[in-house]
Amino acid sequence: MIRVGMMIGDRYEILERIGTGGMSDVYKAKDHKLNRHVAVKVLKQEFSENTNFVSKFRVEAQAAASLMHPNIVNVYDVGEDNGVYYIVMELVEGITLKKYIEKKARLSVREAVSIAIQACMGIEAAHNNHIIHRDIKPQNIIISKDGKVKVTDFGIAKAATSNTITSNVMGSVHYTSPEQARGGYSDEKSDIYSMGITLFEMLTGRVPFNGETTVAIAIKHIQEPMPSPREFVPEIPVSVEQIVLKCTQKSPDRRYHTMAALIEDLKRALMSPDEDFVRIENPDESMATRAVSDRERGEIKKQSKKKESSGEEIRLKKNTPPKKKKTVVYEEDDEEEEYEDEDSRMERITTVLAVIGAVLIGCAVIFLVGRAVGIFDFGQESEQVTMIAVENMTEEEAVKALTELGLKPEVTYAVSDSVEVGKVISADVKEGAIVSGGSRVVLTVSGREETAEDGIPVPDVEGFLEAEATATLTNNGFTAEKSEGYSDTVEKGRVISQTPAGGSSAAPGTAVSIVISQGPDLNSKVVMPDIIGMDPDLAISTLVENGLMVGEQRDMSDDDPAMTGKVCYASYTAGALVEPGTTIDIGISTGPASTTYMYQDAIQSPAVAEPGCGYQEGSECQITITGQSGAEYLNTTVRTFPYTSVNIHGIPSEDPAGLITYTFEVEEAPRTEVGENGETVTVPGGKSQKVVQVTVFFTPEG
């Protein structure tokens, strides 16, 4: 049970739960070793004893840990603590794209395309590592507070190391591809389809297909034509419309072949939105059988005639004595007869090919239908086996029994007071569990702590300085093998990762591989383009083409009249190296600024401003500074004078002067008054509010 305040892995302190999913919960935590906040994804308790779910969770960790990209939520650590399986990830402060769309109803074309470009860059990095996300949707795309777009939750991603990947319908059915809905093969083009649906939702504020059940929606993805986003938002440019339609073609072969091609068209759509440059291929047309025309048939006959003539000539030359010539005469009647034979032969060939084609098509249809209803499995799923009891077996007996069962045993060691040394304490798969053949089973075997024959714990040196890590490993009986790597999060000279992992067991003298951080990889940085003086639209396109995100756009004054209406400010200097996807704020000139004023003088005590006003030094006094227009530029309460913390700039030209107003309380002394009957009455003293105002002139800024 995860609770706030508990420690996981002796390192991560759980602070609060920030999200939940079907298989796992996500918590905000503090990494005490590196003193930073992280997100920890924990497999839910009800699934932690299920071998299949644990296996999926491990696959997720391995897939996500291999990725490192500015547009992907990075994974820092993976582990298990007392049956709690967890993944430590980068903590991204922001909102999901789904909530962002709901908040804005729908996004502008420029904003939607810019977000899509960044998301596609992250997915492209995964595809380049042979990893398919298979659950692309707005809920799995996060927009951080600084405007960066990050793809997260590779929960059902799987390394595409085999020739094909089979999958059932996974993820949200609103975004699933037709091939996933059929339960067939899925590849990179399935992610492209889901990205097209996500772009459709950004542009229109709705999904293209809806229904009362998930099955009804899935059938629409398979059968119904994709609606155009321009049906709902007519002002969407033709290029963006065509990009969406090409991404969401029913046939994967008609979609973009790669994310890189999709990104290229998205960038072009930013610069030329009304240009019709998107082309949707139709492989069926290019590969279809078609009738041979009379002209083509004649050409075939001529080519055939030439080949036979040349063959006859070769045979004649081969059989003719040297230096003797022999003339070959072709009769016209023979030629016509040959043409007729050729016609008959072509007709027979065409008929045979048509029959063969029809048979092949029929077989393919029967196969696809049969596989869809489960008739043709062909052993796609691994053989299922039942886990046996291995507790108190010797290590050799357990390994042999599991191997014969078709499983892959792995052995770790632990000290036990109740189990004899060399015998199995437990297995991570419970007796009676149904698992797939070839599944890994981790055996925990009893071993002596004082002898290192069964392995000793490997120290965790991640985050250590290089020298410190080497010394720690050496002192614990291991050797260090060092390599270098880049990291945006781990300081230069510290350990990024280690193999074997800290806390695992290994034989004394084992070489532990450690990766030493060289700091950020500057070669992966983007050079900030020079956009000063550009028109805003051109500047935005230039930033997007260079993989950067456009942030706040605000109007500001500039002394150069020629800069009016052009970009006069950027939050990064031209030529600076920045991360891909960095948000760039820009300023657009409104022309030279009008005269403004400032006030930086010290404010004296009310007793100095108006002697005899009754102010007692050290007592509380409220100070306000207002202009002639009534605008308030300062409102504070002080006890000490002179008050020197005054630094007001940008006072508009309509307020060259103003008032300093002091408001404070004064003590009134007791006084005597004559009552109604003529007697003397003493009125006790009290507190009353006093207001003192002083005119002040502001200084022009120049």
Side-chain angles (χ1 to χ4, degrees):
M1 179 68 181
I2 302 298
R3 60 185 183 277
V4 174
M6 75 177 293
M7 295 288 290
I8 294 181
D10 296 325
R11 176 173 179 176
Y12 306 106
E13 179 186 359
I14 301 297
L15 301 179
E16 60 177 314
R17 188 166 74 171
I18 57 177
T20 185
M23 287 174 52
S24 57
D25 293 320
V26 183
Y27 297 86
K28 181 179 180 180
K30 183 176 181 180
D31 180 354
H32 284 272
K33 180 172 289 187
L34 297 179
N35 192 29
R36 65 182 177 186
H37 287 102
V38 295
V40 178
K41 178 178 285 190
V42 179
L43 186 64
K44 287 185 176 179
Q45 185 67 31
E46 57 264 35
F47 300 128
S48 61
E49 296 183 359
N50 185 303
T51 306
N52 291 333
F53 277 97
V54 170
S55 176
K56 285 183 180 180
F57 199 75
R58 285 174 173 165
V59 168
E60 170 185 354
Q62 293 167 357
S66 67
L67 300 176
M68 184 69 67
H69 192 273
N71 296 117
I72 292 177
V73 176
N74 295 316
V75 173
Y76 298 144
D77 191 13
V78 179
E80 183 266 337
D81 186 358
N82 294 324
V84 175
Y85 296 88
Y86 62 89
I87 301 175
V88 182
M89 304 180 296
E90 172 188 5
L91 180 65
V92 181
E93 299 285 353
I95 64 172
T96 66
L97 177 58
K98 184 71 173 180
K99 291 183 179 179
Y100 189 62
I101 295 171
E102 292 171 352
K103 181 179 178 182
K104 299 189 69 173
R106 63 180 178 87
L107 310 186
S108 68
V109 173
R110 184 174 293 276
E111 186 176 24
V113 173
S114 298
I115 291 173
I117 289 172
Q118 291 195 61
C120 289
M121 290 170 70
I123 301 169
E124 181 191 21
H127 290 179
N128 290 340
N129 283 274
H130 310 294
I131 293 173
I132 304 168
H133 192 292
R134 297 196 294 177
D135 195 19
I136 297 297
K137 56 185 178 181
Q139 294 90 328
N140 285 339
I141 298 174
I142 299 176
I143 301 176
S144 66
K145 289 183 177 179
D146 59 358
K148 290 184 179 178
V149 178
K150 290 179 175 282
V151 182
T152 186
D153 195 10
F154 283 76
I156 51 177
K158 187 175 183 181
T161 52
S162 59
N163 291 333
T164 55
I165 294 178
T166 56
S167 65
N168 295 321
V169 179
M170 297 182 180
S172 297
V173 71
H174 289 98
Y175 309 91
T176 193
S177 65
E179 59 268 24
Q180 287 175 287
R182 293 190 188 96
Y185 296 108
S186 61
D187 57 12
E188 289 85 351
K189 294 175 186 176
S190 301
D191 284 350
I192 290 174
Y193 183 95
S194 300
M195 192 64 230
I197 301 293
T198 301
L199 180 56
F200 183 101
E201 185 174 358
M202 283 193 284
L203 294 167
T204 65
R206 52 162 290 161
V207 290
F209 301 119
N210 230 324
E212 295 182 358
T213 65
T214 56
V215 174
I217 299 171
I219 291 174
K220 288 183 178 181
H221 278 286
I222 296 172
Q223 296 180 347
E224 291 194 5
M226 179 72 182
S228 167
R230 298 181 75 179
E231 294 179 15
F232 307 98
V233 184
E235 58 266 28
I236 292 175
V238 63
S239 62
V240 178
E241 174 199 34
Q242 291 301 311
I243 288 173
V244 172
L245 295 179
K246 184 170 182 177
C247 287
T248 54
Q249 291 290 307
K250 304 296 184 190
S251 169
D253 291 337
R254 300 189 67 185
R255 299 174 201 154
Y256 287 98
H257 291 219
T258 63
M259 273 292 175
L262 172 56
I263 292 170
E264 182 180 350
D265 273 6
L266 286 169
K267 289 181 177 180
R268 187 172 175 182
L270 273 180
M271 299 186 65
S272 306
D274 296 320
E275 183 182 348
D276 187 9
F277 57 83
V278 180
R279 295 291 176 265
I280 300 176
E281 299 176 7
N282 189 350
D284 296 335
E285 291 180 0
S286 61
M287 299 297 292
T289 302
R290 59 188 179 87
V292 180
S293 66
D294 293 338
R295 188 178 66 84
E296 290 171 329
R297 179 177 295 182
E299 290 294 330
I300 293 172
K301 291 177 179 179
K302 289 179 182 178
Q303 294 297 327
S304 177
K305 179 70 171 64
K306 289 179 180 178
K307 290 179 180 177
E308 292 183 4
S309 298
S310 61
E312 181 68 21
E313 185 175 348
I314 291 172
R315 290 194 296 272
L316 291 172
K317 288 181 179 180
K318 183 175 181 181
N319 298 324
T320 302
K323 298 182 180 179
K324 288 186 178 180
K325 295 183 180 180
K326 184 174 182 179
T327 304
V328 180
V329 179
Y330 295 94
E331 298 293 337
E332 186 176 348
D333 292 341
D334 293 340
E335 185 174 340
E336 291 178 357
E337 183 179 350
E338 183 181 356
Y339 272 32
E340 291 173 1
D341 291 342
E342 191 67 31
D343 286 340
S344 301
R345 189 182 310 154
M346 287 297 298
E347 290 175 2
R348 288 196 298 272
I349 292 173
T350 302
T351 303
V352 171
L353 290 177
V355 172
I356 293 173
V359 172
L360 291 176
I361 292 172
C363 292
V365 171
I366 293 171
F367 174 77
L368 291 173
V369 173
R371 191 178 65 177
V373 299
I375 297 175
F376 303 127
D377 281 341
F378 299 130
Q380 288 183 4
E381 296 185 0
S382 301
E383 181 183 355
Q384 303 293 301
V385 297
T386 303
M387 179 62 184
I388 61 175
V390 293
E391 287 76 5
N392 289 314
M393 283 187 180
T394 66
E395 177 183 340
E396 293 77 11
E397 291 172 344
V399 170
K400 181 179 179 182
L402 293 176
T403 302
E404 291 176 350
L405 200 60
L407 301 175
K408 295 180 180 179
E410 294 183 8
V411 180
T412 60
Y413 300 93
V415 177
S416 174
D417 296 329
S418 57
V419 179
E420 182 182 344
V421 173
K423 291 192 174 182
V424 176
I425 301 172
S426 63
D428 68 341
V429 179
K430 302 298 181 183
E431 178 187 359
I434 306 299
V435 296
S436 300
S439 297
R440 186 182 72 159
V441 178
V442 179
L443 302 175
T444 303
V445 177
S446 175
R448 290 192 180 92
E449 188 173 26
E450 61 271 18
T451 67
E453 59 188 19
D454 291 329
I456 57 177
V458 178
D460 186 356
V461 296
E462 288 187 14
F464 285 23
L465 290 170
E466 179 180 352
E468 182 184 7
T470 303
T472 301
L473 292 171
T474 303
N475 293 338
N476 282 271
F478 298 94
T479 60
E481 286 186 354
K482 292 176 282 188
S483 60
E484 296 179 347
Y486 295 104
S487 174
D488 293 331
T489 56
V490 179
E491 179 186 346
K492 183 177 181 179
R494 293 186 180 272
V495 176
I496 301 173
S497 61
Q498 67 176 90
T499 305
S504 62
S505 297
T510 298
V512 178
S513 300
I514 57 176
V515 181
I516 310 300
S517 174
Q518 301 302 300
D521 183 3
L522 297 181
N523 292 327
S524 67
K525 304 286 186 179
V526 174
V527 178
M528 174 65 190
D530 186 3
I531 60 173
I532 303 300
M534 289 185 180
D535 289 331
D537 287 345
L538 179 58
I540 291 170
S541 299
T542 302
L543 291 174
V544 172
E545 284 181 352
N546 284 272
L548 302 173
M549 186 74 176
V550 180
E552 182 182 359
Q553 303 175 43
R554 59 178 182 269
D555 294 334
M556 58 177 57
S557 60
D558 188 88
D559 292 338
D560 186 356
M563 292 291 289
T564 303
K566 299 183 182 298
V567 175
C568 63
Y569 164 80
S571 54
Y572 286 86
T573 306
L577 294 175
V578 297
E579 292 286 349
T582 298
T583 300
I584 310 297
D585 296 331
I586 63 175
I588 301 170
S589 174
T590 57
S594 58
T595 303
T596 57
Y597 295 90
M598 64 179 180
Y599 184 75
Q600 293 179 302
D601 293 340
I603 299 177
Q604 301 299 326
S605 165
V608 175
E610 186 178 304
C613 64
Y615 175 74
Q616 297 294 321
E617 297 293 342
S619 62
E620 190 175 88
C621 178
Q622 182 184 15
I623 303 172
T624 61
I625 297 180
T626 56
Q628 292 177 342
S629 65
E632 186 175 85
Y633 301 112
L634 178 69
N635 189 332
T636 186
T637 300
V638 300
R639 291 179 177 272
T640 303
F641 290 96
Y643 179 64
T644 59
S645 301
V646 182
N647 189 15
I648 305 171
H649 290 271
I651 300 173
S653 57
E654 59 264 25
D655 283 338
L659 289 174
I660 299 178
T661 302
Y662 304 89
T663 304
F664 54 90
E665 291 184 341
V666 295
E667 291 282 351
E668 294 183 349
R671 66 183 186 279
T672 58
E673 294 182 355
V674 178
E676 294 180 357
N677 298 324
E679 74 278 12
T680 302
V681 178
T682 301
V683 179
K687 292 184 177 180
S688 64
Q689 193 175 71
K690 179 83 172 186
V691 176
V692 174
Q693 289 187 321
V694 178
T695 301
V696 62
F697 293 95
F698 302 135
T699 304
E701 291 182 312

